[in-house]
Amino acid sequence: MTDNSNIDEVVQEILAGMSLKEKAAITNLDEDKIPLLQYAFNVWILSQLGEDDEISKDVMLRIWKVLQETHRVRCAK
């Protein structure tokens, strides 16, 4: 089983390699669309963590959650 720190490291590495445009695109996705992105990252995630599909689901959900906090467009007053 992979611990949370390994998943956090993978999430940070993926985010560091993403452009602002890619981050914005993911941020604007509804949560139910996250599994569609998972397939794009599966090969890389599995090679890094050597785990099953559940780990890649966790990674994609964390990426989305981090981007919701850091890259979400907010209305200015």
Side-chain angles (χ1 to χ4, degrees):
M1 179 107 196
T2 302
D3 62 27
N4 287 336
S5 64
N6 285 346
I7 292 174
D8 290 338
E9 288 175 23
V10 169
V11 167
Q12 291 306 315
E13 191 170 334
I14 290 170
L15 289 172
M18 293 177 115
S19 69
L20 181 58
K21 184 177 180 179
E22 292 167 328
K23 290 176 182 177
I26 292 172
T27 299
N28 292 319
L29 286 177
D30 291 330
E31 188 171 358
D32 65 336
K33 302 293 188 225
I34 295 170
L36 300 174
L37 286 176
Q38 175 192 343
Y39 299 112
F41 289 100
N42 266 354
V43 172
W44 190 85
I45 291 168
L46 295 175
S47 72
Q48 295 295 309
L49 299 176
E51 297 287 336
D52 59 30
D53 286 342
E54 289 302 312
I55 297 300
S56 58
K57 288 178 188 176
D58 290 343
V59 169
M60 286 310 306
L61 184 59
R62 285 194 199 188
I63 288 171
W64 182 79
K65 286 181 178 180
V66 167
L67 291 174
Q68 288 295 301
E69 293 294 320
T70 61
H71 287 76
R72 188 132 181 114
V73 176
R74 293 172 183 86
C75 292
K77 292 184 179 184

Short mmCIF file of all heavy atoms in Angstrom, two decimals, residues 25-61:
data_model
loop_
_atom_site.label_atom_id
_atom_site.label_comp_id
_atom_site.label_asym_id
_atom_site.label_seq_id
_atom_site.Cartn_x
_atom_site.Cartn_y
_atom_site.Cartn_z
N ALA A 25 -7.84 24.24 -16.96
CA ALA A 25 -8.79 23.31 -17.58
C ALA A 25 -9.27 22.27 -16.57
O ALA A 25 -10.46 21.96 -16.49
CB ALA A 25 -8.15 22.62 -18.78
N ILE A 26 -8.36 21.74 -15.77
CA ILE A 26 -8.73 20.75 -14.76
C ILE A 26 -9.57 21.40 -13.67
O ILE A 26 -10.55 20.83 -13.20
CB ILE A 26 -7.48 20.07 -14.17
CG1 ILE A 26 -6.82 19.19 -15.23
CG2 ILE A 26 -7.84 19.23 -12.93
CD1 ILE A 26 -5.48 18.63 -14.84
N THR A 27 -9.20 22.60 -13.28
CA THR A 27 -9.93 23.31 -12.24
C THR A 27 -11.39 23.50 -12.62
O THR A 27 -12.27 23.40 -11.78
CB THR A 27 -9.29 24.68 -11.98
OG1 THR A 27 -7.95 24.48 -11.55
CG2 THR A 27 -10.03 25.46 -10.92
N ASN A 28 -11.64 23.75 -13.88
CA ASN A 28 -13.00 24.03 -14.33
C ASN A 28 -13.84 22.78 -14.59
O ASN A 28 -15.00 22.90 -14.95
CB ASN A 28 -12.96 24.91 -15.58
CG ASN A 28 -12.46 26.30 -15.25
OD1 ASN A 28 -12.82 26.86 -14.23
ND2 ASN A 28 -11.62 26.84 -16.10
N LEU A 29 -13.26 21.61 -14.41
CA LEU A 29 -14.02 20.37 -14.57
C LEU A 29 -14.91 20.12 -13.36
O LEU A 29 -14.54 20.43 -12.24
CB LEU A 29 -13.08 19.17 -14.70
CG LEU A 29 -12.33 18.99 -15.99
CD1 LEU A 29 -11.41 17.78 -15.87
CD2 LEU A 29 -13.27 18.81 -17.15
N ASP A 30 -16.06 19.53 -13.62
CA ASP A 30 -16.89 19.05 -12.53
C ASP A 30 -16.24 17.79 -11.97
O ASP A 30 -15.56 17.05 -12.71
CB ASP A 30 -18.29 18.71 -13.03
CG ASP A 30 -19.08 19.95 -13.43
OD1 ASP A 30 -18.83 21.03 -12.85
OD2 ASP A 30 -19.93 19.83 -14.33
N GLU A 31 -16.46 17.52 -10.70
CA GLU A 31 -15.82 16.38 -10.05
C GLU A 31 -16.14 15.06 -10.74
O GLU A 31 -15.30 14.17 -10.80
CB GLU A 31 -16.22 16.31 -8.58
CG GLU A 31 -15.45 15.28 -7.79
CD GLU A 31 -15.68 15.35 -6.30
OE1 GLU A 31 -16.44 16.22 -5.83
OE2 GLU A 31 -15.11 14.52 -5.59
N ASP A 32 -17.33 14.93 -11.32
CA ASP A 32 -17.70 13.67 -11.97
C ASP A 32 -16.94 13.43 -13.28
O ASP A 32 -16.98 12.34 -13.84
CB ASP A 32 -19.20 13.59 -12.20
CG ASP A 32 -19.73 14.64 -13.17
OD1 ASP A 32 -19.09 15.69 -13.33
OD2 ASP A 32 -20.80 14.40 -13.74
N LYS A 33 -16.20 14.41 -13.76
CA LYS A 33 -15.39 14.27 -14.99
C LYS A 33 -13.96 13.85 -14.70
O LYS A 33 -13.20 13.55 -15.62
CB LYS A 33 -15.37 15.58 -15.77
CG LYS A 33 -16.72 16.10 -16.16
CD LYS A 33 -17.39 15.21 -17.16
CE LYS A 33 -18.66 15.86 -17.66
NZ LYS A 33 -19.79 14.99 -17.74
N ILE A 34 -13.56 13.80 -13.45
CA ILE A 34 -12.19 13.45 -13.07
C ILE A 34 -11.77 12.08 -13.61
O ILE A 34 -10.64 11.93 -14.09
CB ILE A 34 -11.99 13.52 -11.55
CG1 ILE A 34 -12.15 14.97 -11.10
CG2 ILE A 34 -10.62 12.99 -11.14
CD1 ILE A 34 -12.22 15.13 -9.61
N PRO A 35 -12.63 11.06 -13.57
CA PRO A 35 -12.19 9.76 -14.10
C PRO A 35 -11.72 9.80 -15.55
O PRO A 35 -10.87 9.01 -15.95
CB PRO A 35 -13.44 8.87 -13.96
CG PRO A 35 -14.17 9.47 -12.80
CD PRO A 35 -13.94 10.96 -12.94
N LEU A 36 -12.23 10.74 -16.33
CA LEU A 36 -11.78 10.86 -17.72
C LEU A 36 -10.30 11.23 -17.79
O LEU A 36 -9.57 10.77 -18.67
CB LEU A 36 -12.62 11.90 -18.46
CG LEU A 36 -14.11 11.62 -18.54
CD1 LEU A 36 -14.82 12.80 -19.18
CD2 LEU A 36 -14.39 10.34 -19.30
N LEU A 37 -9.85 12.07 -16.87
CA LEU A 37 -8.43 12.45 -16.84
C LEU A 37 -7.54 11.35 -16.29
O LEU A 37 -6.37 11.27 -16.61
CB LEU A 37 -8.25 13.69 -15.97
CG LEU A 37 -8.71 14.99 -16.55
CD1 LEU A 37 -8.55 16.10 -15.53
CD2 LEU A 37 -7.93 15.31 -17.81
N GLN A 38 -8.11 10.53 -15.46
CA GLN A 38 -7.33 9.47 -14.83
C GLN A 38 -6.63 8.61 -15.86
O GLN A 38 -5.46 8.27 -15.69
CB GLN A 38 -8.24 8.60 -13.97
CG GLN A 38 -7.53 7.41 -13.37
CD GLN A 38 -8.49 6.42 -12.77
OE1 GLN A 38 -9.64 6.74 -12.53
NE2 GLN A 38 -8.01 5.23 -12.54
N TYR A 39 -7.29 8.30 -16.96
CA TYR A 39 -6.69 7.45 -17.98
C TYR A 39 -5.45 8.08 -18.59
O TYR A 39 -4.51 7.39 -18.93
CB TYR A 39 -7.72 7.12 -19.05
CG TYR A 39 -8.90 6.37 -18.48
CD1 TYR A 39 -10.16 6.96 -18.43
CD2 TYR A 39 -8.74 5.10 -17.95
CE1 TYR A 39 -11.24 6.29 -17.88
CE2 TYR A 39 -9.82 4.42 -17.39
CZ TYR A 39 -11.06 5.03 -17.36
OH TYR A 39 -12.13 4.38 -16.81
N ALA A 40 -5.44 9.39 -18.69
CA ALA A 40 -4.28 10.08 -19.26
C ALA A 40 -3.05 9.95 -18.36
O ALA A 40 -1.92 9.94 -18.84
CB ALA A 40 -4.61 11.55 -19.48
N PHE A 41 -3.27 9.84 -17.07
CA PHE A 41 -2.17 9.78 -16.12
C PHE A 41 -1.84 8.37 -15.64
O PHE A 41 -0.83 8.18 -14.98
CB PHE A 41 -2.48 10.66 -14.90
CG PHE A 41 -2.45 12.12 -15.20
CD1 PHE A 41 -3.62 12.82 -15.41
CD2 PHE A 41 -1.25 12.80 -15.26
CE1 PHE A 41 -3.60 14.17 -15.69
CE2 PHE A 41 -1.21 14.15 -15.53
CZ PHE A 41 -2.39 14.84 -15.76
N ASN A 42 -2.69 7.39 -15.94
CA ASN A 42 -2.51 6.05 -15.39
C ASN A 42 -1.12 5.46 -15.61
O ASN A 42 -0.52 4.95 -14.67
CB ASN A 42 -3.55 5.09 -15.96
CG ASN A 42 -4.76 4.96 -15.08
OD1 ASN A 42 -4.82 5.49 -13.99
ND2 ASN A 42 -5.74 4.24 -15.57
N VAL A 43 -0.63 5.52 -16.82
CA VAL A 43 0.66 4.89 -17.12
C VAL A 43 1.76 5.51 -16.27
O VAL A 43 2.55 4.81 -15.65
CB VAL A 43 1.00 5.01 -18.63
CG1 VAL A 43 2.41 4.53 -18.91
CG2 VAL A 43 -0.02 4.22 -19.44
N TRP A 44 1.79 6.82 -16.21
CA TRP A 44 2.84 7.51 -15.44
C TRP A 44 2.69 7.23 -13.95
O TRP A 44 3.67 6.91 -13.27
CB TRP A 44 2.81 9.01 -15.70
CG TRP A 44 4.00 9.70 -15.14
CD1 TRP A 44 5.21 9.85 -15.73
CD2 TRP A 44 4.11 10.29 -13.84
NE1 TRP A 44 6.06 10.51 -14.90
CE2 TRP A 44 5.41 10.79 -13.71
CE3 TRP A 44 3.24 10.44 -12.78
CZ2 TRP A 44 5.86 11.43 -12.58
CZ3 TRP A 44 3.69 11.08 -11.64
CH2 TRP A 44 4.98 11.57 -11.55
N ILE A 45 1.48 7.35 -13.44
CA ILE A 45 1.24 7.13 -12.02
C ILE A 45 1.59 5.70 -11.63
O ILE A 45 2.27 5.46 -10.62
CB ILE A 45 -0.23 7.46 -11.65
CG1 ILE A 45 -0.48 8.96 -11.78
CG2 ILE A 45 -0.56 6.97 -10.24
CD1 ILE A 45 -1.94 9.34 -11.71
N LEU A 46 1.15 4.75 -12.43
CA LEU A 46 1.43 3.35 -12.11
C LEU A 46 2.92 3.05 -12.17
O LEU A 46 3.43 2.26 -11.38
CB LEU A 46 0.64 2.42 -13.03
CG LEU A 46 -0.88 2.50 -12.87
CD1 LEU A 46 -1.57 1.63 -13.91
CD2 LEU A 46 -1.30 2.10 -11.47
N SER A 47 3.64 3.69 -13.09
CA SER A 47 5.08 3.46 -13.16
C SER A 47 5.80 4.06 -11.95
O SER A 47 6.81 3.54 -11.49
CB SER A 47 5.67 4.01 -14.45
OG SER A 47 5.69 5.42 -14.44
N GLN A 48 5.26 5.16 -11.42
CA GLN A 48 5.86 5.80 -10.25
C GLN A 48 5.53 5.08 -8.95
O GLN A 48 6.37 4.96 -8.07
CB GLN A 48 5.40 7.26 -10.14
CG GLN A 48 5.86 8.14 -11.26
CD GLN A 48 7.38 8.29 -11.28
OE1 GLN A 48 7.98 8.62 -10.28
NE2 GLN A 48 7.98 8.03 -12.43
N LEU A 49 4.29 4.63 -8.82
CA LEU A 49 3.84 4.05 -7.56
C LEU A 49 3.72 2.53 -7.59
O LEU A 49 3.65 1.91 -6.54
CB LEU A 49 2.49 4.66 -7.15
CG LEU A 49 2.50 6.16 -6.92
CD1 LEU A 49 1.09 6.64 -6.61
CD2 LEU A 49 3.43 6.52 -5.78
N GLY A 50 3.64 1.96 -8.79
CA GLY A 50 3.53 0.52 -8.89
C GLY A 50 2.30 -0.04 -8.20
O GLY A 50 2.35 -1.11 -7.61
N GLU A 51 1.23 0.68 -8.25
CA GLU A 51 0.01 0.28 -7.55
C GLU A 51 -1.13 0.06 -8.53
O GLU A 51 -0.95 0.08 -9.73
CB GLU A 51 -0.37 1.35 -6.51
CG GLU A 51 0.64 1.54 -5.41
CD GLU A 51 0.68 0.42 -4.39
OE1 GLU A 51 -0.33 -0.29 -4.23
OE2 GLU A 51 1.72 0.26 -3.76
N ASP A 52 -2.32 -0.10 -7.99
CA ASP A 52 -3.49 -0.35 -8.82
C ASP A 52 -4.21 0.94 -9.23
O ASP A 52 -3.78 2.04 -8.91
CB ASP A 52 -4.45 -1.29 -8.09
CG ASP A 52 -4.92 -0.71 -6.76
OD1 ASP A 52 -5.00 0.52 -6.64
OD2 ASP A 52 -5.22 -1.50 -5.84
N ASP A 53 -5.32 0.76 -9.92
CA ASP A 53 -6.08 1.91 -10.41
C ASP A 53 -6.64 2.78 -9.30
O ASP A 53 -6.90 3.96 -9.52
CB ASP A 53 -7.23 1.45 -11.31
CG ASP A 53 -6.76 0.98 -12.66
OD1 ASP A 53 -5.62 1.32 -13.04
OD2 ASP A 53 -7.52 0.28 -13.34
N GLU A 54 -6.86 2.24 -8.13
CA GLU A 54 -7.38 3.04 -7.02
C GLU A 54 -6.41 4.16 -6.66
O GLU A 54 -6.83 5.25 -6.30
CB GLU A 54 -7.67 2.16 -5.80
CG GLU A 54 -8.86 1.26 -5.97
CD GLU A 54 -10.14 2.00 -6.27
OE1 GLU A 54 -10.44 2.98 -5.56
OE2 GLU A 54 -10.84 1.60 -7.20
N ILE A 55 -5.12 3.89 -6.74
CA ILE A 55 -4.12 4.90 -6.43
C ILE A 55 -4.20 6.03 -7.46
O ILE A 55 -4.18 7.21 -7.10
CB ILE A 55 -2.69 4.30 -6.41
CG1 ILE A 55 -2.58 3.26 -5.30
CG2 ILE A 55 -1.65 5.40 -6.26
CD1 ILE A 55 -2.83 3.78 -3.90
N SER A 56 -4.34 5.69 -8.73
CA SER A 56 -4.41 6.75 -9.73
C SER A 56 -5.69 7.57 -9.56
O SER A 56 -5.69 8.78 -9.80
CB SER A 56 -4.27 6.19 -11.15
OG SER A 56 -5.26 5.24 -11.42
N LYS A 57 -6.76 6.94 -9.12
CA LYS A 57 -7.99 7.70 -8.83
C LYS A 57 -7.74 8.67 -7.69
O LYS A 57 -8.17 9.82 -7.74
CB LYS A 57 -9.13 6.75 -8.46
CG LYS A 57 -9.67 5.97 -9.62
CD LYS A 57 -10.75 5.02 -9.16
CE LYS A 57 -11.15 4.09 -10.28
NZ LYS A 57 -12.13 3.09 -9.83
N ASP A 58 -7.04 8.22 -6.66
CA ASP A 58 -6.72 9.09 -5.52
C ASP A 58 -5.86 10.27 -5.97
O ASP A 58 -6.07 11.40 -5.54
CB ASP A 58 -5.99 8.32 -4.42
CG ASP A 58 -6.88 7.32 -3.70
OD1 ASP A 58 -8.12 7.42 -3.81
OD2 ASP A 58 -6.32 6.44 -3.02
N VAL A 59 -4.88 9.99 -6.82
CA VAL A 59 -3.98 11.04 -7.30
C VAL A 59 -4.77 12.08 -8.10
O VAL A 59 -4.63 13.28 -7.86
CB VAL A 59 -2.83 10.45 -8.15
CG1 VAL A 59 -2.06 11.54 -8.87
CG2 VAL A 59 -1.89 9.63 -7.26
N MET A 60 -5.61 11.63 -9.00
CA MET A 60 -6.37 12.58 -9.82
C MET A 60 -7.33 13.41 -8.96
O MET A 60 -7.46 14.61 -9.18
CB MET A 60 -7.16 11.85 -10.91
CG MET A 60 -6.30 11.35 -12.05
SD MET A 60 -5.18 12.58 -12.75
CE MET A 60 -6.27 13.91 -13.16
N LEU A 61 -7.96 12.79 -7.99
CA LEU A 61 -8.87 13.53 -7.12
C LEU A 61 -8.11 14.58 -6.32
O LEU A 61 -8.56 15.71 -6.18
CB LEU A 61 -9.62 12.58 -6.20
CG LEU A 61 -10.68 13.22 -5.30
CD1 LEU A 61 -11.74 13.94 -6.13
CD2 LEU A 61 -11.32 12.18 -4.40
#
